[in-house]
Amino acid sequence: PYSVQLFSQVDNAEPCVADLTGDGVVNVSDILTIIAAWGTPNADITGDNMTNVSDLLLVIGAFGPCP
């Protein structure tokens, strides 16, 4: 009998879209980024071309370390 093992270094982790600052943690800095970009498309996470309450709620819901 033969056997095979495949080892992969592919990163299968989902991107942490709520981490706007890119520091690996969703924290107050990301909330402040949302507030600073309010009403513009600059920090839009939801894809509706406007930074608004839905983006803020997404950041608050993902608060903590990114997976």
Side-chain angles (χ1 to χ4, degrees), residues 9-33:
Q9 294 182 358
V10 175
D11 185 16
N12 289 336
E14 293 181 19
C16 190
V17 296
D19 180 21
L20 298 171
T21 58
D23 60 358
V25 180
V26 179
N27 54 19
V28 175
S29 298
D30 301 301
I31 292 175
L32 292 175
T33 302

Side-chain angles (χ1 to χ4, degrees), residues 8-64:
S8 175
Q9 294 182 358
V10 175
D11 185 16
N12 289 336
E14 293 181 19
C16 190
V17 296
D19 180 21
L20 298 171
T21 58
D23 60 358
V25 180
V26 179
N27 54 19
V28 175
S29 298
D30 301 301
I31 292 175
L32 292 175
T33 302
I34 291 285
I35 293 169
W38 200 265
T40 69
N42 296 340
D44 177 37
I45 301 171
T46 57
D48 61 358
N49 290 323
M50 183 67 65
T51 304
N52 53 22
V53 174
S54 58
D55 300 300
L56 181 62
L57 292 176
L58 196 134
V59 169
I60 291 171
F63 207 83

